[in-house]
Amino acid sequence: NAGVTQTPKFRVLKTGQSMTLLCAQDMNHEYMYWYRQDPGMGLRLIHYSVGEGTTAKGEVPDGYNVSRLKKQNFLLGLESAAPSQTSVYFCASSRGTGKFQETQYFGPGTRLLVL
Amino acid sequence: GQSLEQPSEVTAVEGAIVQINCTYQTSGFYGLSWYQQHDGGAPTFLSYNALDGLEETGRFSSFLSRSDSYGYLLLQELQMKDSASYFCAVRPRPGSYQLTFGKGTKLSVIP
């Protein structure tokens, strides 16, 4: 099993450009998440999905859109990139079984630089 | 709102024991988790406490006191490879698997 994979690993954008980050998981997990990580800020939730076809806003959703057309994929889109979106983006997934404990499994991250 | 406080940096000697504290103020509480992240790597799950007390997993232990809104991660027999950032995270709402993360504690293990 590959676990959680992210594409691309690194990207440089100019202000105003658009791009899509792809997350894929092969663990048949129901829940998927997109986080951003900035120095000294920890991980902040952007958007999440509780199942195929569903999405919801997290803590810092502005400037981002997401889609979950297939259970195994979760896409994060930036329509018009801004320098403030320079960050490391992590995707994660979890089973969503209803159990009290819910471990999240993270992908390797995408480093995005917006000039 | 949610607020988690943990020290930004901790330094400890190889072979020693170190404790990383986490205090939280959240609108709800349904468990405290700990994640480890090496530089340039992805966060990985370490431990979880839903109830008060100590949970042990090998060299790592985690403690929770819900009445004090406080928990800690204890690392024993420190090894150089334990140098990493450690994040506490709270699940604040039932029926949801969202996590709110602290800003992380950077642990440096020195010889």
Side-chain angles (χ1 to χ4, degrees):
Chain A
N1 285 354
V4 181
T5 58
Q6 293 182 231
T7 310
K9 289 185 171 55
F10 179 71
R11 184 76 183 268
V12 179
L13 287 179
K14 294 181 179 178
T15 297
Q17 286 185 319
S18 63
M19 78 163 295
T20 301
L21 283 69
L22 172 64
C23 175
Q25 53 95 3
D26 62 2
M27 297 175 282
N28 201 33
H29 284 172
E30 287 293 333
Y31 283 53
M32 296 187 74
Y33 315 82
W34 276 107
Y35 293 91
R36 60 177 289 173
Q37 186 174 35
D38 303 297
M41 294 296 292
L43 289 150
R44 292 184 292 170
L45 183 65
I46 304 171
H47 286 280
Y48 66 100
S49 167
V50 302
E52 182 179 317
T54 74
T55 63
K57 293 180 180 179
E59 180 186 355
V60 288
D62 293 343
Y64 305 94
N65 56 76
V66 288
S67 64
R68 183 106 180 263
L69 299 179
K70 293 183 179 181
K71 186 177 183 179
Q72 63 267 33
N73 295 337
F74 195 28
L75 278 64
L76 177 71
L78 286 73
E79 290 186 348
S80 179
S84 60
Q85 294 178 304
T86 292
S87 188
V88 181
Y89 292 86
F90 286 100
C91 175
S93 70
S94 63
R95 272 193 229 135
T97 61
K99 291 183 179 179
F100 205 72
Q101 177 181 351
E102 186 68 9
T103 302
Q104 293 192 9
Y105 298 86
F106 285 80
T110 294
R111 295 181 180 277
L112 177 64
L113 175 62
V114 183
L115 300 175
Chain B
Q2 336 293 341
S3 171
L4 290 89
E5 295 292 330
Q6 48 181 133
S8 58
E9 295 182 7
V10 172
T11 299
V13 177
E14 189 177 15
I17 299 172
V18 71
Q19 178 174 312
I20 299 174
N21 299 322
C22 175
T23 57
Y24 59 88
Q25 287 185 318
T26 58
S27 54
F29 179 82
Y30 291 88
L32 183 70
S33 301
W34 288 92
Y35 284 76
Q36 178 192 58
Q37 185 181 30
H38 287 98
D39 283 348
T44 57
F45 173 80
L46 284 179
S47 184
Y48 174 80
N49 294 73
L51 304 174
D52 291 354
L54 194 67
E55 293 284 340
E56 297 181 70
T57 309
R59 294 187 297 115
F60 295 0
S61 302
S62 58
F63 172 83
L64 175 65
S65 169
R66 289 175 296 169
S67 60
D68 296 323
S69 297
Y70 163 76
Y72 66 72
L73 180 69
L74 192 72
L75 294 81
Q76 303 182 73
E77 300 173 15
L78 279 173
Q79 301 176 8
M80 299 300 290
K81 67 178 182 180
D82 296 330
S83 293
S85 291
Y86 293 84
F87 296 87
C88 58
V90 167
R91 185 158 77 91
R93 286 184 296 278
S96 165
Y97 298 93
Q98 296 181 67
L99 290 176
T100 298
F101 284 83
K103 294 181 179 181
T105 298
K106 186 172 178 63
L107 171 65
S108 298
V109 180
I110 58 176

